[in-house]
Amino acid sequence: MFKVKGLIEEVQFDKDCIIYIPDGLQFIGKGRSAAVFRVLDTQKAVKIFYPEFKGLAEIEAHVYQKLNNHDYFPAFYEVGDGFLLMEYVEGITFYDCLVSGIPITEKMVVKVDEALEFACSLGLNPSDIHLKNILLTSSGQVKVIDVVRFTQEFDCPHWRDLKKAYETFYLRRYVPKKFPKFFIEFIIRLYRRRLLPI
């Protein structure tokens, strides 16, 4: 772990922009409050929060501790100053499934429901569930990632709305299962502005 901490300390941010990544880390992706890297030659990933969001590390660690390494979520190993060390999950997001034309099956949607119901049974409040926070693993499992907002108190409609769109439009035979990114982003912008009939 000492080596990993050294790598984490070398990562440099300018607000939410990554300006330096050491050789031992491989960039995976970034969100509103953090960036995620794979620790090379391991099955571990590190989520490093941007300087202004460092305090969220402890909050998300608490959520992962409650989830207790359940199969529907990445295994959690350690929390540090502004970072989390967890299982590296090989897979593709539901967002990328849409871009690549990989069908999102009803069974996959049921698995997400089961994951969120499990979190609710622990007193958590699954929030901010979107296409980039759900993974289809290389072994065909479904995992929910980025649980930092599971402690929010308001009722988040994101997953309900995604399911409604899935059932109303996506499942129709004539609807394509592959979409260009610009189209998906356009739909997301309309949704955020509440301009969609969902």
Side-chain angles (χ1 to χ4, degrees), residues 13-192:
F13 295 104
D14 180 7
K15 296 182 180 177
D16 63 349
C17 294
I18 306 165
I19 56 177
Y20 179 74
I21 303 171
D23 289 339
L25 298 179
Q26 176 188 11
F27 175 72
I28 297 174
K30 57 183 287 193
R32 289 181 290 171
S33 55
V36 181
F37 307 86
R38 181 179 184 179
V39 182
L40 291 178
D41 301 320
T42 75
Q43 287 303 114
K44 294 180 180 178
V46 61
K47 181 174 183 176
I48 307 176
F49 289 84
Y50 309 137
E52 64 180 304
F53 294 109
K54 285 177 73 172
L56 293 178
E58 291 289 345
I59 294 171
E60 188 161 17
H62 176 69
V63 174
Y64 274 117
Q65 286 161 354
K66 271 196 158 187
L67 294 170
N68 197 26
N69 293 343
H70 192 280
D71 286 344
Y72 284 137
F73 303 89
F76 168 72
Y77 302 126
E78 187 174 341
V79 60
D81 182 24
F83 74 87
L84 301 176
L85 185 66
M86 63 188 76
E87 171 191 16
Y88 169 70
V89 180
E90 185 84 44
I92 182 171
T93 67
F94 276 23
Y95 181 100
D96 288 325
C97 285
L98 290 181
V99 173
S100 304
I102 297 170
I104 297 172
T105 66
E106 292 179 83
K107 183 178 178 181
M108 289 158 62
V109 172
V110 167
K111 293 296 183 185
V112 178
D113 276 336
E114 290 174 358
L116 303 184
E117 286 166 11
F118 173 73
C120 287
S121 75
L122 301 174
L124 296 168
N125 180 26
S127 303
D128 198 32
I129 306 298
H130 55 74
L131 296 171
K132 292 182 179 178
N133 283 354
I134 309 167
L135 284 178
L136 175 65
T137 73
S138 53
S139 61
Q141 292 180 293
V142 170
K143 287 189 184 274
V144 177
I145 59 173
D146 193 5
V147 299
V148 68
R149 291 174 179 85
F150 277 31
T151 58
Q152 294 181 156
E153 295 183 0
F154 70 90
D155 180 37
C156 178
H158 291 174
W159 177 241
R160 287 196 307 272
D161 291 342
L162 273 174
K163 271 184 65 178
K164 186 175 179 182
Y166 175 83
E167 292 163 357
T168 305
F169 303 107
Y170 184 87
L171 287 179
R172 294 185 180 182
R173 279 189 304 170
Y174 58 82
V175 172
K177 302 302 179 256
K178 182 176 181 178
F179 302 90
K181 279 188 179 182
F182 78 84
F183 178 78
I184 299 172
E185 292 298 326
F186 176 67
I187 295 299
I188 290 170
R189 282 197 294 274
L190 289 180
Y191 174 76
R192 286 176 178 164

